[in-house]
Structures are given as C-alpha cells and as structure tokens.
Amino acid sequence: MNAILSLGKWFLIVPTLIFGMFHFMNANEMAAMAPGGSVMVYITGACLILAGISMAIGKMDKLASTLLGILFLAFILPHVQMMADDPSQMGNILKNIVMASAAFMYASAFAKDN
C-alpha cells in the first residue's frame, strides 16, 4: 500500500516538470495569456521546473511546493478571464485547483525540509 501511495509524489513532480517544459516550448502561444508576455511565460516555466527538481531531490521542497501551490492558484486568473469566450476553460481552472491542492498536500506530508 505504501508503495502505491508514494507514487502520488511523482504524480505531482512529473506533470510539473512537463508543464515547465511546455512553457519554454510554447512561450509565444502562452504570451497572450500572461501579463508581461513571453518573459513572464519563461519565468513561470523556470519556476515550475525548479520546483519539480526541488521536490524530486528533496532540497528546499517545502518552500518550493508551497510556492508552487501559490503559482498554480495564480494560473487560475487567466483562465477565468478566457471563460467568457471559451467555457471549456473550466477544465483548466479545475486542473490548477487540483495541482495547487496536491502541492500544498506535498508540502504538509512529504516535504523533507522544515
């Protein structure tokens, strides 16, 4: 049972790293959603990757996962703004809420630093 439960940590880390890579691969497309344009997309992509690495190696992971949760909550705002034109954005809003919740749960249950 513990082996299965410990996979939850990786179900947060791997998508976080992939989302970070997507920010670098699709910066021009995402720039329209981000205040600050493509520069902000690159910054948030780097934050996602660094948080994923921090959690994977267990260094400063409580801080990283807490900040990651806050970042995912901040990502809700652009999707709320796009909902008027695209009601399917609700899926992205819910995804960001779930990812924020997972990051906060990681910080409280798995994080190794104090």
Side-chain angles (χ1 to χ4, degrees):
M1 178 73 85
N2 286 339
I4 293 171
L5 294 176
S6 67
L7 288 175
K9 167 183 168 177
W10 295 102
F11 288 149
L12 172 63
I13 293 170
V14 172
T16 298
L17 291 169
I18 292 170
F19 290 147
M21 289 187 292
F22 284 169
H23 277 70
F24 282 94
M25 294 172 8
N26 303 315
N28 293 330
E29 292 83 16
M30 293 180 177
M33 291 187 286
S38 59
V39 172
M40 189 57 71
V41 174
Y42 288 122
I43 290 170
T44 56
C47 290
L48 290 165
I49 291 170
L50 291 171
I53 292 170
S54 175
M55 291 183 296
I57 64 174
K59 299 290 183 188
M60 301 290 287
D61 55 344
K62 182 171 274 203
L63 175 63
S65 56
T66 301
L67 292 174
L68 178 66
I70 293 168
L71 182 62
F72 277 122
L73 290 177
F75 285 167
I76 292 171
L77 195 57
H79 296 293
V80 168
Q81 293 171 340
M82 292 186 299
M83 265 189 63
D85 298 327
D86 183 8
S88 69
Q89 289 298 318
M90 181 56 78
N92 286 320
I93 292 168
L94 294 173
K95 177 223 16 149
N96 285 320
I97 291 170
V98 168
M99 292 297 287
S101 299
F104 293 142
M105 284 193 292
Y106 176 94
S108 68
F110 285 105
K112 293 179 173 52
D113 67 327
N114 290 323

PDB file of all heavy atoms in Angstrom, residues 12-53:
ATOM      1  N   LEU A  12       2.740  14.389  -8.980  1.00  0.00           N
ATOM      2  CA  LEU A  12       2.827  15.849  -8.914  1.00  0.00           C
ATOM      3  C   LEU A  12       4.104  16.340  -9.602  1.00  0.00           C
ATOM      4  O   LEU A  12       4.074  17.283 -10.390  1.00  0.00           O
ATOM      5  CB  LEU A  12       2.797  16.338  -7.468  1.00  0.00           C
ATOM      6  CG  LEU A  12       3.073  17.829  -7.243  1.00  0.00           C
ATOM      7  CD1 LEU A  12       2.003  18.687  -7.922  1.00  0.00           C
ATOM      8  CD2 LEU A  12       3.159  18.145  -5.765  1.00  0.00           C
ATOM      9  N   ILE A  13       5.219  15.692  -9.316  1.00  0.00           N
ATOM     10  CA  ILE A  13       6.511  16.155  -9.828  1.00  0.00           C
ATOM     11  C   ILE A  13       6.590  16.080 -11.350  1.00  0.00           C
ATOM     12  O   ILE A  13       6.982  17.050 -12.017  1.00  0.00           O
ATOM     13  CB  ILE A  13       7.665  15.352  -9.185  1.00  0.00           C
ATOM     14  CG1 ILE A  13       7.745  15.663  -7.692  1.00  0.00           C
ATOM     15  CG2 ILE A  13       8.989  15.633  -9.884  1.00  0.00           C
ATOM     16  CD1 ILE A  13       8.681  14.754  -6.920  1.00  0.00           C
ATOM     17  N   VAL A  14       6.226  14.947 -11.927  1.00  0.00           N
ATOM     18  CA  VAL A  14       6.386  14.755 -13.379  1.00  0.00           C
ATOM     19  C   VAL A  14       5.537  15.749 -14.185  1.00  0.00           C
ATOM     20  O   VAL A  14       6.070  16.420 -15.077  1.00  0.00           O
ATOM     21  CB  VAL A  14       6.123  13.288 -13.775  1.00  0.00           C
ATOM     22  CG1 VAL A  14       6.087  13.124 -15.289  1.00  0.00           C
ATOM     23  CG2 VAL A  14       7.191  12.376 -13.167  1.00  0.00           C
ATOM     24  N   PRO A  15       4.225  15.893 -13.890  1.00  0.00           N
ATOM     25  CA  PRO A  15       3.468  16.900 -14.652  1.00  0.00           C
ATOM     26  C   PRO A  15       3.988  18.323 -14.443  1.00  0.00           C
ATOM     27  O   PRO A  15       3.965  19.126 -15.379  1.00  0.00           O
ATOM     28  CB  PRO A  15       2.036  16.773 -14.124  1.00  0.00           C
ATOM     29  CG  PRO A  15       1.966  15.399 -13.572  1.00  0.00           C
ATOM     30  CD  PRO A  15       3.340  15.100 -13.046  1.00  0.00           C
ATOM     31  N   THR A  16       4.474  18.628 -13.251  1.00  0.00           N
ATOM     32  CA  THR A  16       5.023  19.962 -13.003  1.00  0.00           C
ATOM     33  C   THR A  16       6.221  20.217 -13.913  1.00  0.00           C
ATOM     34  O   THR A  16       6.339  21.288 -14.517  1.00  0.00           O
ATOM     35  CB  THR A  16       5.414  20.120 -11.521  1.00  0.00           C
ATOM     36  OG1 THR A  16       4.234  19.969 -10.720  1.00  0.00           O
ATOM     37  CG2 THR A  16       6.038  21.472 -11.250  1.00  0.00           C
ATOM     38  N   LEU A  17       7.103  19.230 -14.032  1.00  0.00           N
ATOM     39  CA  LEU A  17       8.257  19.377 -14.926  1.00  0.00           C
ATOM     40  C   LEU A  17       7.810  19.509 -16.381  1.00  0.00           C
ATOM     41  O   LEU A  17       8.356  20.321 -17.137  1.00  0.00           O
ATOM     42  CB  LEU A  17       9.200  18.183 -14.759  1.00  0.00           C
ATOM     43  CG  LEU A  17       9.931  18.100 -13.420  1.00  0.00           C
ATOM     44  CD1 LEU A  17      10.620  16.747 -13.273  1.00  0.00           C
ATOM     45  CD2 LEU A  17      10.931  19.222 -13.275  1.00  0.00           C
ATOM     46  N   ILE A  18       6.813  18.719 -16.773  1.00  0.00           N
ATOM     47  CA  ILE A  18       6.319  18.782 -18.153  1.00  0.00           C
ATOM     48  C   ILE A  18       5.663  20.129 -18.430  1.00  0.00           C
ATOM     49  O   ILE A  18       5.903  20.734 -19.487  1.00  0.00           O
ATOM     50  CB  ILE A  18       5.354  17.612 -18.430  1.00  0.00           C
ATOM     51  CG1 ILE A  18       6.134  16.294 -18.424  1.00  0.00           C
ATOM     52  CG2 ILE A  18       4.629  17.800 -19.761  1.00  0.00           C
ATOM     53  CD1 ILE A  18       5.262  15.054 -18.441  1.00  0.00           C
ATOM     54  N   PHE A  19       4.850  20.624 -17.485  1.00  0.00           N
ATOM     55  CA  PHE A  19       4.248  21.952 -17.666  1.00  0.00           C
ATOM     56  C   PHE A  19       5.332  23.012 -17.812  1.00  0.00           C
ATOM     57  O   PHE A  19       5.198  23.947 -18.608  1.00  0.00           O
ATOM     58  CB  PHE A  19       3.323  22.318 -16.498  1.00  0.00           C
ATOM     59  CG  PHE A  19       2.042  21.530 -16.441  1.00  0.00           C
ATOM     60  CD1 PHE A  19       1.472  21.226 -15.219  1.00  0.00           C
ATOM     61  CD2 PHE A  19       1.395  21.105 -17.583  1.00  0.00           C
ATOM     62  CE1 PHE A  19       0.287  20.512 -15.139  1.00  0.00           C
ATOM     63  CE2 PHE A  19       0.209  20.386 -17.523  1.00  0.00           C
ATOM     64  CZ  PHE A  19      -0.347  20.089 -16.300  1.00  0.00           C
ATOM     65  N   GLY A  20       6.408  22.887 -17.044  1.00  0.00           N
ATOM     66  CA  GLY A  20       7.516  23.829 -17.162  1.00  0.00           C
ATOM     67  C   GLY A  20       8.150  23.794 -18.542  1.00  0.00           C
ATOM     68  O   GLY A  20       8.441  24.838 -19.133  1.00  0.00           O
ATOM     69  N   MET A  21       8.339  22.582 -19.068  1.00  0.00           N
ATOM     70  CA  MET A  21       8.903  22.453 -20.422  1.00  0.00           C
ATOM     71  C   MET A  21       7.945  23.037 -21.461  1.00  0.00           C
ATOM     72  O   MET A  21       8.387  23.682 -22.422  1.00  0.00           O
ATOM     73  CB  MET A  21       9.219  20.999 -20.729  1.00  0.00           C
ATOM     74  CG  MET A  21      10.393  20.473 -19.947  1.00  0.00           C
ATOM     75  SD  MET A  21      10.923  18.807 -20.425  1.00  0.00           S
ATOM     76  CE  MET A  21       9.546  17.834 -19.882  1.00  0.00           C
ATOM     77  N   PHE A  22       6.636  22.819 -21.281  1.00  0.00           N
ATOM     78  CA  PHE A  22       5.655  23.394 -22.207  1.00  0.00           C
ATOM     79  C   PHE A  22       5.748  24.913 -22.241  1.00  0.00           C
ATOM     80  O   PHE A  22       5.546  25.520 -23.292  1.00  0.00           O
ATOM     81  CB  PHE A  22       4.233  22.995 -21.817  1.00  0.00           C
ATOM     82  CG  PHE A  22       3.852  21.577 -22.152  1.00  0.00           C
ATOM     83  CD1 PHE A  22       2.683  21.046 -21.647  1.00  0.00           C
ATOM     84  CD2 PHE A  22       4.641  20.776 -22.966  1.00  0.00           C
ATOM     85  CE1 PHE A  22       2.302  19.743 -21.936  1.00  0.00           C
ATOM     86  CE2 PHE A  22       4.280  19.460 -23.256  1.00  0.00           C
ATOM     87  CZ  PHE A  22       3.100  18.958 -22.746  1.00  0.00           C
ATOM     88  N   HIS A  23       6.056  25.527 -21.096  1.00  0.00           N
ATOM     89  CA  HIS A  23       6.180  26.983 -21.066  1.00  0.00           C
ATOM     90  C   HIS A  23       7.335  27.454 -21.952  1.00  0.00           C
ATOM     91  O   HIS A  23       7.260  28.525 -22.545  1.00  0.00           O
ATOM     92  CB  HIS A  23       6.373  27.485 -19.628  1.00  0.00           C
ATOM     93  CG  HIS A  23       5.105  27.635 -18.875  1.00  0.00           C
ATOM     94  ND1 HIS A  23       4.349  26.564 -18.468  1.00  0.00           N
ATOM     95  CD2 HIS A  23       4.438  28.734 -18.448  1.00  0.00           C
ATOM     96  CE1 HIS A  23       3.277  27.004 -17.828  1.00  0.00           C
ATOM     97  NE2 HIS A  23       3.310  28.318 -17.801  1.00  0.00           N
ATOM     98  N   PHE A  24       8.385  26.666 -22.023  1.00  0.00           N
ATOM     99  CA  PHE A  24       9.504  27.041 -22.885  1.00  0.00           C
ATOM    100  C   PHE A  24       9.216  26.697 -24.349  1.00  0.00           C
ATOM    101  O   PHE A  24       9.613  27.433 -25.243  1.00  0.00           O
ATOM    102  CB  PHE A  24      10.801  26.357 -22.425  1.00  0.00           C
ATOM    103  CG  PHE A  24      11.413  27.017 -21.230  1.00  0.00           C
ATOM    104  CD1 PHE A  24      11.129  26.570 -19.948  1.00  0.00           C
ATOM    105  CD2 PHE A  24      12.256  28.103 -21.370  1.00  0.00           C
ATOM    106  CE1 PHE A  24      11.667  27.185 -18.841  1.00  0.00           C
ATOM    107  CE2 PHE A  24      12.812  28.735 -20.273  1.00  0.00           C
ATOM    108  CZ  PHE A  24      12.516  28.279 -18.998  1.00  0.00           C
ATOM    109  N   MET A  25       8.527  25.606 -24.587  1.00  0.00           N
ATOM    110  CA  MET A  25       8.259  25.176 -25.957  1.00  0.00           C
ATOM    111  C   MET A  25       7.150  25.994 -26.618  1.00  0.00           C
ATOM    112  O   MET A  25       7.145  26.146 -27.837  1.00  0.00           O
ATOM    113  CB  MET A  25       7.887  23.685 -25.979  1.00  0.00           C
ATOM    114  CG  MET A  25       9.033  22.803 -25.564  1.00  0.00           C
ATOM    115  SD  MET A  25       8.695  21.035 -25.314  1.00  0.00           S
ATOM    116  CE  MET A  25       7.091  20.739 -25.849  1.00  0.00           C
ATOM    117  N   ASN A  26       6.203  26.508 -25.831  1.00  0.00           N
ATOM    118  CA  ASN A  26       5.045  27.220 -26.381  1.00  0.00           C
ATOM    119  C   ASN A  26       4.937  28.647 -25.845  1.00  0.00           C
ATOM    120  O   ASN A  26       3.832  29.157 -25.681  1.00  0.00           O
ATOM    121  CB  ASN A  26       3.757  26.454 -26.040  1.00  0.00           C
ATOM    122  CG  ASN A  26       3.778  25.040 -26.542  1.00  0.00           C
ATOM    123  OD1 ASN A  26       4.158  24.780 -27.671  1.00  0.00           O
ATOM    124  ND2 ASN A  26       3.386  24.104 -25.691  1.00  0.00           N
ATOM    125  N   ALA A  27       6.050  29.279 -25.596  1.00  0.00           N
ATOM    126  CA  ALA A  27       6.040  30.611 -24.962  1.00  0.00           C
ATOM    127  C   ALA A  27       5.267  31.633 -25.787  1.00  0.00           C
ATOM    128  O   ALA A  27       4.520  32.438 -25.231  1.00  0.00           O
ATOM    129  CB  ALA A  27       7.467  31.096 -24.728  1.00  0.00           C
ATOM    130  N   ASN A  28       5.406  31.590 -27.098  1.00  0.00           N
ATOM    131  CA  ASN A  28       4.730  32.597 -27.925  1.00  0.00           C
ATOM    132  C   ASN A  28       3.218  32.447 -27.870  1.00  0.00           C
ATOM    133  O   ASN A  28       2.495  33.443 -27.852  1.00  0.00           O
ATOM    134  CB  ASN A  28       5.226  32.524 -29.371  1.00  0.00           C
ATOM    135  CG  ASN A  28       6.676  32.939 -29.487  1.00  0.00           C
ATOM    136  OD1 ASN A  28       7.143  33.762 -28.708  1.00  0.00           O
ATOM    137  ND2 ASN A  28       7.389  32.372 -30.441  1.00  0.00           N
ATOM    138  N   GLU A  29       2.719  31.207 -27.835  1.00  0.00           N
ATOM    139  CA  GLU A  29       1.278  30.982 -27.760  1.00  0.00           C
ATOM    140  C   GLU A  29       0.727  31.370 -26.383  1.00  0.00           C
ATOM    141  O   GLU A  29      -0.378  31.878 -26.265  1.00  0.00           O
ATOM    142  CB  GLU A  29       0.932  29.515 -28.060  1.00  0.00           C
ATOM    143  CG  GLU A  29       1.176  29.105 -29.497  1.00  0.00           C
ATOM    144  CD  GLU A  29       2.619  28.719 -29.772  1.00  0.00           C
ATOM    145  OE1 GLU A  29       3.375  28.470 -28.819  1.00  0.00           O
ATOM    146  OE2 GLU A  29       2.990  28.680 -30.959  1.00  0.00           O
ATOM    147  N   MET A  30       1.503  31.113 -25.342  1.00  0.00           N
ATOM    148  CA  MET A  30       1.055  31.411 -23.978  1.00  0.00           C
ATOM    149  C   MET A  30       1.204  32.890 -23.633  1.00  0.00           C
ATOM    150  O   MET A  30       0.579  33.365 -22.686  1.00  0.00           O
ATOM    151  CB  MET A  30       1.856  30.585 -22.968  1.00  0.00           C
ATOM    152  CG  MET A  30       1.605  29.121 -23.031  1.00  0.00           C
ATOM    153  SD  MET A  30       2.621  28.305 -21.773  1.00  0.00           S
ATOM    154  CE  MET A  30       2.094  26.624 -21.961  1.00  0.00           C
ATOM    155  N   ALA A  31       2.015  33.607 -24.384  1.00  0.00           N
ATOM    156  CA  ALA A  31       2.324  35.010 -24.059  1.00  0.00           C
ATOM    157  C   ALA A  31       1.081  35.884 -24.028  1.00  0.00           C
ATOM    158  O   ALA A  31       1.014  36.837 -23.252  1.00  0.00           O
ATOM    159  CB  ALA A  31       3.339  35.561 -25.054  1.00  0.00           C
ATOM    160  N   ALA A  32       0.092  35.568 -24.839  1.00  0.00           N
ATOM    161  CA  ALA A  32      -1.126  36.382 -24.877  1.00  0.00           C
ATOM    162  C   ALA A  32      -1.899  36.283 -23.569  1.00  0.00           C
ATOM    163  O   ALA A  32      -2.635  37.200 -23.206  1.00  0.00           O
ATOM    164  CB  ALA A  32      -2.009  35.942 -26.040  1.00  0.00           C
ATOM    165  N   MET A  33      -1.745  35.163 -22.843  1.00  0.00           N
ATOM    166  CA  MET A  33      -2.471  34.974 -21.583  1.00  0.00           C
ATOM    167  C   MET A  33      -1.755  35.606 -20.398  1.00  0.00           C
ATOM    168  O   MET A  33      -2.383  35.887 -19.382  1.00  0.00           O
ATOM    169  CB  MET A  33      -2.622  33.470 -21.284  1.00  0.00           C
ATOM    170  CG  MET A  33      -3.542  32.733 -22.210  1.00  0.00           C
ATOM    171  SD  MET A  33      -3.795  31.048 -21.651  1.00  0.00           S
ATOM    172  CE  MET A  33      -2.233  30.282 -22.063  1.00  0.00           C
ATOM    173  N   ALA A  34      -0.454  35.780 -20.508  1.00  0.00           N
ATOM    174  CA  ALA A  34       0.354  36.179 -19.350  1.00  0.00           C
ATOM    175  C   ALA A  34       0.581  37.683 -19.314  1.00  0.00           C
ATOM    176  O   ALA A  34       0.984  38.272 -20.317  1.00  0.00           O
ATOM    177  CB  ALA A  34       1.706  35.473 -19.403  1.00  0.00           C
ATOM    178  N   PRO A  35       0.332  38.299 -18.157  1.00  0.00           N
ATOM    179  CA  PRO A  35       0.741  39.694 -18.031  1.00  0.00           C
ATOM    180  C   PRO A  35       2.269  39.737 -18.048  1.00  0.00           C
ATOM    181  O   PRO A  35       2.920  38.986 -17.335  1.00  0.00           O
ATOM    182  CB  PRO A  35       0.186  40.114 -16.670  1.00  0.00           C
ATOM    183  CG  PRO A  35      -0.085  38.847 -15.936  1.00  0.00           C
ATOM    184  CD  PRO A  35      -0.269  37.777 -16.952  1.00  0.00           C
ATOM    185  N   GLY A  36       2.831  40.528 -18.906  1.00  0.00           N
ATOM    186  CA  GLY A  36       4.284  40.558 -19.040  1.00  0.00           C
ATOM    187  C   GLY A  36       4.749  39.789 -20.257  1.00  0.00           C
ATOM    188  O   GLY A  36       5.941  39.751 -20.552  1.00  0.00           O
ATOM    189  N   GLY A  37       3.831  39.141 -20.953  1.00  0.00           N
ATOM    190  CA  GLY A  37       4.140  38.464 -22.199  1.00  0.00           C
ATOM    191  C   GLY A  37       5.045  37.260 -22.055  1.00  0.00           C
ATOM    192  O   GLY A  37       5.043  36.568 -21.037  1.00  0.00           O
ATOM    193  N   SER A  38       5.845  37.039 -23.083  1.00  0.00           N
ATOM    194  CA  SER A  38       6.670  35.831 -23.133  1.00  0.00           C
ATOM    195  C   SER A  38       7.726  35.794 -22.032  1.00  0.00           C
ATOM    196  O   SER A  38       8.114  34.719 -21.584  1.00  0.00           O
ATOM    197  CB  SER A  38       7.323  35.675 -24.505  1.00  0.00           C
ATOM    198  OG  SER A  38       8.129  36.784 -24.799  1.00  0.00           O
ATOM    199  N   VAL A  39       8.171  36.947 -21.559  1.00  0.00           N
ATOM    200  CA  VAL A  39       9.145  36.968 -20.467  1.00  0.00           C
ATOM    201  C   VAL A  39       8.557  36.297 -19.233  1.00  0.00           C
ATOM    202  O   VAL A  39       9.203  35.461 -18.585  1.00  0.00           O
ATOM    203  CB  VAL A  39       9.594  38.411 -20.144  1.00  0.00           C
ATOM    204  CG1 VAL A  39      10.443  38.450 -18.892  1.00  0.00           C
ATOM    205  CG2 VAL A  39      10.327  39.017 -21.319  1.00  0.00           C
ATOM    206  N   MET A  40       7.304  36.621 -18.926  1.00  0.00           N
ATOM    207  CA  MET A  40       6.648  36.014 -17.764  1.00  0.00           C
ATOM    208  C   MET A  40       6.417  34.517 -17.983  1.00  0.00           C
ATOM    209  O   MET A  40       6.505  33.730 -17.039  1.00  0.00           O
ATOM    210  CB  MET A  40       5.325  36.723 -17.475  1.00  0.00           C
ATOM    211  CG  MET A  40       4.698  36.289 -16.179  1.00  0.00           C
ATOM    212  SD  MET A  40       5.762  36.529 -14.738  1.00  0.00           S
ATOM    213  CE  MET A  40       5.767  38.281 -14.591  1.00  0.00           C
ATOM    214  N   VAL A  41       6.158  34.125 -19.214  1.00  0.00           N
ATOM    215  CA  VAL A  41       5.980  32.701 -19.512  1.00  0.00           C
ATOM    216  C   VAL A  41       7.285  31.945 -19.237  1.00  0.00           C
ATOM    217  O   VAL A  41       7.269  30.867 -18.635  1.00  0.00           O
ATOM    218  CB  VAL A  41       5.512  32.490 -20.969  1.00  0.00           C
ATOM    219  CG1 VAL A  41       5.474  31.004 -21.324  1.00  0.00           C
ATOM    220  CG2 VAL A  41       4.147  33.128 -21.184  1.00  0.00           C
ATOM    221  N   TYR A  42       8.407  32.512 -19.644  1.00  0.00           N
ATOM    222  CA  TYR A  42       9.699  31.881 -19.373  1.00  0.00           C
ATOM    223  C   TYR A  42       9.997  31.833 -17.873  1.00  0.00           C
ATOM    224  O   TYR A  42      10.511  30.834 -17.372  1.00  0.00           O
ATOM    225  CB  TYR A  42      10.835  32.606 -20.112  1.00  0.00           C
ATOM    226  CG  TYR A  42      10.822  32.373 -21.604  1.00  0.00           C
ATOM    227  CD1 TYR A  42      10.724  33.437 -22.494  1.00  0.00           C
ATOM    228  CD2 TYR A  42      10.923  31.090 -22.132  1.00  0.00           C
ATOM    229  CE1 TYR A  42      10.715  33.235 -23.863  1.00  0.00           C
ATOM    230  CE2 TYR A  42      10.917  30.876 -23.507  1.00  0.00           C
ATOM    231  CZ  TYR A  42      10.811  31.950 -24.360  1.00  0.00           C
ATOM    232  OH  TYR A  42      10.806  31.742 -25.716  1.00  0.00           O
ATOM    233  N   ILE A  43       9.675  32.906 -17.163  1.00  0.00           N
ATOM    234  CA  ILE A  43       9.921  32.933 -15.713  1.00  0.00           C
ATOM    235  C   ILE A  43       9.083  31.869 -15.015  1.00  0.00           C
ATOM    236  O   ILE A  43       9.598  31.120 -14.177  1.00  0.00           O
ATOM    237  CB  ILE A  43       9.645  34.339 -15.140  1.00  0.00           C
ATOM    238  CG1 ILE A  43      10.714  35.319 -15.619  1.00  0.00           C
ATOM    239  CG2 ILE A  43       9.583  34.306 -13.614  1.00  0.00           C
ATOM    240  CD1 ILE A  43      10.412  36.776 -15.309  1.00  0.00           C
ATOM    241  N   THR A  44       7.790  31.795 -15.353  1.00  0.00           N
ATOM    242  CA  THR A  44       6.947  30.789 -14.696  1.00  0.00           C
ATOM    243  C   THR A  44       7.354  29.380 -15.110  1.00  0.00           C
ATOM    244  O   THR A  44       7.282  28.454 -14.296  1.00  0.00           O
ATOM    245  CB  THR A  44       5.455  31.028 -14.990  1.00  0.00           C
ATOM    246  OG1 THR A  44       5.231  31.042 -16.399  1.00  0.00           O
ATOM    247  CG2 THR A  44       4.982  32.326 -14.370  1.00  0.00           C
ATOM    248  N   GLY A  45       7.807  29.205 -16.335  1.00  0.00           N
ATOM    249  CA  GLY A  45       8.308  27.892 -16.761  1.00  0.00           C
ATOM    250  C   GLY A  45       9.517  27.477 -15.941  1.00  0.00           C
ATOM    251  O   GLY A  45       9.626  26.324 -15.505  1.00  0.00           O
ATOM    252  N   ALA A  46      10.420  28.423 -15.709  1.00  0.00           N
ATOM    253  CA  ALA A  46      11.597  28.126 -14.889  1.00  0.00           C
ATOM    254  C   ALA A  46      11.185  27.799 -13.457  1.00  0.00           C
ATOM    255  O   ALA A  46      11.730  26.873 -12.839  1.00  0.00           O
ATOM    256  CB  ALA A  46      12.561  29.310 -14.910  1.00  0.00           C
ATOM    257  N   CYS A  47      10.192  28.529 -12.934  1.00  0.00           N
ATOM    258  CA  CYS A  47       9.705  28.247 -11.576  1.00  0.00           C
ATOM    259  C   CYS A  47       9.134  26.842 -11.485  1.00  0.00           C
ATOM    260  O   CYS A  47       9.368  26.126 -10.502  1.00  0.00           O
ATOM    261  CB  CYS A  47       8.655  29.279 -11.165  1.00  0.00           C
ATOM    262  SG  CYS A  47       9.309  30.931 -10.891  1.00  0.00           S
ATOM    263  N   LEU A  48       8.369  26.438 -12.485  1.00  0.00           N
ATOM    264  CA  LEU A  48       7.796  25.091 -12.493  1.00  0.00           C
ATOM    265  C   LEU A  48       8.895  24.032 -12.504  1.00  0.00           C
ATOM    266  O   LEU A  48       8.855  23.057 -11.741  1.00  0.00           O
ATOM    267  CB  LEU A  48       6.870  24.916 -13.700  1.00  0.00           C
ATOM    268  CG  LEU A  48       5.554  25.692 -13.658  1.00  0.00           C
ATOM    269  CD1 LEU A  48       4.905  25.725 -15.032  1.00  0.00           C
ATOM    270  CD2 LEU A  48       4.615  25.093 -12.634  1.00  0.00           C
ATOM    271  N   ILE A  49       9.881  24.200 -13.362  1.00  0.00           N
ATOM    272  CA  ILE A  49      10.970  23.228 -13.465  1.00  0.00           C
ATOM    273  C   ILE A  49      11.781  23.183 -12.180  1.00  0.00           C
ATOM    274  O   ILE A  49      12.100  22.103 -11.669  1.00  0.00           O
ATOM    275  CB  ILE A  49      11.851  23.536 -14.697  1.00  0.00           C
ATOM    276  CG1 ILE A  49      11.052  23.248 -15.974  1.00  0.00           C
ATOM    277  CG2 ILE A  49      13.140  22.719 -14.666  1.00  0.00           C
ATOM    278  CD1 ILE A  49      11.716  23.727 -17.246  1.00  0.00           C
ATOM    279  N   LEU A  50      12.099  24.337 -11.636  1.00  0.00           N
ATOM    280  CA  LEU A  50      12.878  24.370 -10.392  1.00  0.00           C
ATOM    281  C   LEU A  50      12.116  23.753  -9.223  1.00  0.00           C
ATOM    282  O   LEU A  50      12.699  23.050  -8.391  1.00  0.00           O
ATOM    283  CB  LEU A  50      13.306  25.798 -10.073  1.00  0.00           C
ATOM    284  CG  LEU A  50      14.339  26.392 -11.034  1.00  0.00           C
ATOM    285  CD1 LEU A  50      14.533  27.879 -10.753  1.00  0.00           C
ATOM    286  CD2 LEU A  50      15.655  25.644 -10.956  1.00  0.00           C
ATOM    287  N   ALA A  51      10.805  23.989  -9.158  1.00  0.00           N
ATOM    288  CA  ALA A  51      10.006  23.374  -8.095  1.00  0.00           C
ATOM    289  C   ALA A  51       9.992  21.857  -8.257  1.00  0.00           C
ATOM    290  O   ALA A  51      10.134  21.117  -7.276  1.00  0.00           O
ATOM    291  CB  ALA A  51       8.588  23.922  -8.111  1.00  0.00           C
ATOM    292  N   GLY A  52       9.838  21.373  -9.484  1.00  0.00           N
ATOM    293  CA  GLY A  52       9.854  19.935  -9.732  1.00  0.00           C
ATOM    294  C   GLY A  52      11.178  19.297  -9.342  1.00  0.00           C
ATOM    295  O   GLY A  52      11.206  18.231  -8.711  1.00  0.00           O
ATOM    296  N   ILE A  53      12.266  19.959  -9.677  1.00  0.00           N
ATOM    297  CA  ILE A  53      13.592  19.443  -9.312  1.00  0.00           C
ATOM    298  C   ILE A  53      13.759  19.448  -7.805  1.00  0.00           C
ATOM    299  O   ILE A  53      14.244  18.478  -7.215  1.00  0.00           O
ATOM    300  CB  ILE A  53      14.703  20.262 -10.009  1.00  0.00           C
ATOM    301  CG1 ILE A  53      14.687  20.019 -11.517  1.00  0.00           C
ATOM    302  CG2 ILE A  53      16.067  19.937  -9.416  1.00  0.00           C
ATOM    303  CD1 ILE A  53      15.575  20.956 -12.309  1.00  0.00           C
TER     304      ILE A  53
END
